Amino acid sequence: MKQTRVIISGGGTGGHIFPAISIANAIRTLRPDAEILFVGAEGRMEMHRVPAAGYKIVGLPIEGFNRKNPLRNIRVLWKVWKCQRMARKIIREFKPDVAVGVGGYASGPTLKTAAQMGIPTLIQEQNSYAGVTNKLLAKSATKICVAYEGMERFFPANKILMTGNPVRQSLTETRLTPAEARKHLGLDPTLPTLLIIGGSLGARTINESVLNSLQLINRTHMQVIWQTGKYYSHHIASTLGRLGKPQNLMVTDFIADMDAAYAAADLVISRAGASSISELCLLGKPCILVPSPNVAEDHQTKNARALSDRNAALFMNDSYASTQLMPLAIQTISDADKLNTLSTNIKQLALPDSAQIIARETLKLIKE
């Protein structure tokens, strides 16, 4: 039997990389001999996260279009042309049977070139509002996997398959109780616990809301796990050195053990990236979503509204968050009925086994 060869392309943030790795793992489970090659963007986090997960990756010198300074896009267009030529060379040498795109800069030239070369392509759109790259790729894609209803607005209906977004497998496999998880993280096993995550790169407004509420946090009967993101960690460390860090505040730039952090949490504050939302749904975690205003087509607001409209999450506008977010979190974490309602409702929106479904569809394209 001929060895299966798959290209997976995309990245830029954890929200694209973790689902991509989950799909790769699921393909390997179904076809252990599969040869999988990732194509990412040079200098982005996939270039070290993917090898850490045990997969080969090649980088393209791609970058996004500059909305603020259109003149710079002359260089971007040249890079796109260059990356398409590089993608052609990669595809010719690797000879994939199928190409999968998960969004992010690199997926554009890779998937476009693969389709031009007659290779079946599958794109995975994680958000409730399709990104520009995927809208352009949809015309030539063989199959489009989505996580929200109503995506016919963006894509041909006959290509769409509702699969949900893959999440990190380890999150669903943890057997830790909340008390055990808190102990494992060096926290008080008996205290209500708030988890604050601003995405893999951090979130300025969410971080400001914590710094503005240090005295408030100090007075509450709860504990806080705060992931600041590497970008903000130095500034936050010096601010806490000046103002004093509350005893019940655990600060880290990156949480390596997300399984334990989620298990420990009674309430989560998060950005509204598709990947984070999928994890929260699957784990049934009550959450306050603070959509990032700095994303294409304001898609995080649309993601968050899809949950808050169903009473499956609380919505906090980024422009009010620096003063109102922590008071809302403190009020919510002490309301057992509210937490229970949010948990029940968000769990109903979960789509489990997404990675396995997408992997099966990917392999099916080869047979077809």
Side-chain angles (χ1 to χ4, degrees):
M1 190 176 165
K2 181 179 166 288
Q3 188 187 32
T4 302
R5 301 175 81 80
V6 183
I7 274 182
I8 299 178
S9 184
T13 65
H16 289 130
I17 298 160
F18 297 131
I21 291 169
S22 294
I23 293 167
N25 292 342
I27 290 170
R28 277 267 167 90
T29 303
L30 295 169
R31 202 66 62 81
D33 68 325
E35 184 73 25
I36 298 172
L37 176 69
F38 279 76
V39 180
E42 282 176 2
R44 306 289 289 196
M45 66 189 286
E46 58 263 30
M47 298 310 293
H48 58 267
R49 289 258 181 263
V50 169
Y55 294 100
K56 283 185 280 192
I57 186 167
V58 290
L60 300 178
I62 190 85
E63 61 183 89
F65 282 98
N66 192 315
R67 289 180 170 83
K68 289 175 184 160
N69 188 345
L71 279 176
R72 288 202 176 157
N73 291 330
I74 296 165
R75 188 185 70 167
V76 175
L77 285 167
W78 180 80
K79 282 192 169 185
V80 169
W81 175 81
K82 183 183 175 186
C83 288
Q84 283 178 344
R85 291 192 57 165
M86 288 174 72
R88 187 170 288 275
K89 185 172 184 286
I90 291 163
I91 291 165
R92 205 176 278 137
E93 288 173 2
F94 184 69
K95 298 183 175 67
D97 301 296
V98 65
V100 178
V102 295
Y105 302 142
S107 66
T110 308
L111 271 279
K112 184 183 176 188
T113 306
Q116 285 171 344
M117 293 172 77
I119 292 154
T121 61
L122 177 147
I123 58 176
Q124 197 241 335
E125 175 54 62
Q126 297 160 1
N127 293 294
S128 59
Y129 195 91
V132 175
T133 303
N134 278 350
K135 279 192 270 193
L136 292 172
L137 292 173
K139 296 179 184 72
S140 56
T142 322
K143 184 72 73 179
I144 302 165
C145 296
V146 302
Y148 290 89
E149 303 284 355
M151 298 303 284
E152 301 80 17
R153 295 178 292 159
F154 310 107
F155 304 130
N158 62 330
K159 295 182 180 183
I160 294 174
L161 184 70
M162 183 78 163
T163 60
N165 289 325
V167 302
R168 292 172 268 193
Q169 277 99 328
S170 59
L171 296 179
T172 56
E173 288 162 7
T174 184
R175 295 285 169 264
L176 290 172
T177 65
E180 287 166 349
R182 289 166 196 162
K183 211 168 182 179
H184 172 76
L185 294 168
L187 299 168
D188 185 326
T190 64
L191 278 181
T193 304
L194 172 66
L195 171 63
I196 301 172
I197 43 176
S200 49
L201 305 174
R204 185 171 58 85
T205 316
I206 293 177
N207 288 340
E208 278 176 4
S209 75
V210 182
L211 291 175
N212 290 343
S213 307
L214 294 175
Q215 290 180 331
L216 190 60
I217 291 166
N218 207 12
R219 293 197 300 269
T220 58
H221 184 67
M222 68 168 187
Q223 57 199 351
V224 180
I225 306 167
W226 179 21
Q227 178 182 279
T228 64
K230 283 190 167 61
Y231 184 76
Y232 300 100
S233 58
H234 182 72
H235 162 68
I236 285 165
S238 64
T239 307
L240 290 174
R242 198 173 72 251
L243 300 176
K245 183 181 85 66
Q247 285 287 300
N248 55 345
L249 180 64
M250 173 187 161
V251 188
T252 177
D253 62 347
F254 182 76
I255 299 171
D257 196 347
M258 272 310 292
D259 322 6
Y262 273 133
D266 296 291
L267 177 66
V268 181
I269 290 173
S270 174
R271 283 301 198 197
S275 193
S276 300
I277 286 180
S278 297
E279 291 176 354
L280 294 164
C281 289
L282 208 58
L283 299 171
K285 284 288 161 186
C287 60
I288 302 172
L289 298 173
V290 188
S292 170
N294 311 312
V295 293
E297 282 102 9
D298 197 25
H299 68 251
Q300 286 203 6
T301 295
K302 297 172 180 86
N303 291 350
R305 286 287 185 211
L307 271 71
S308 65
D309 289 349
R310 293 173 176 167
N311 199 18
L314 297 179
F315 181 97
M316 171 60 67
N317 194 302
D318 186 84
S319 52
Y320 308 131
S322 59
T323 55
Q324 295 180 20
L325 178 58
M326 288 310 295
L328 176 64
I330 290 161
Q331 180 192 336
T332 307
I333 205 166
S334 58
D335 185 341
D337 291 341
K338 186 69 181 169
L339 292 177
N340 196 26
T341 301
L342 291 171
S343 177
T344 304
N345 292 346
I346 198 170
K347 204 153 196 172
Q348 286 169 1
L349 303 178
L351 291 163
D353 307 322
S354 299
Q356 289 79 358
I357 297 166
I358 295 168
R360 281 198 294 273
E361 289 299 320
T362 301
L363 296 173
K364 215 191 279 179
L365 291 182
I366 301 172
K367 285 184 189 153
E368 288 168 7

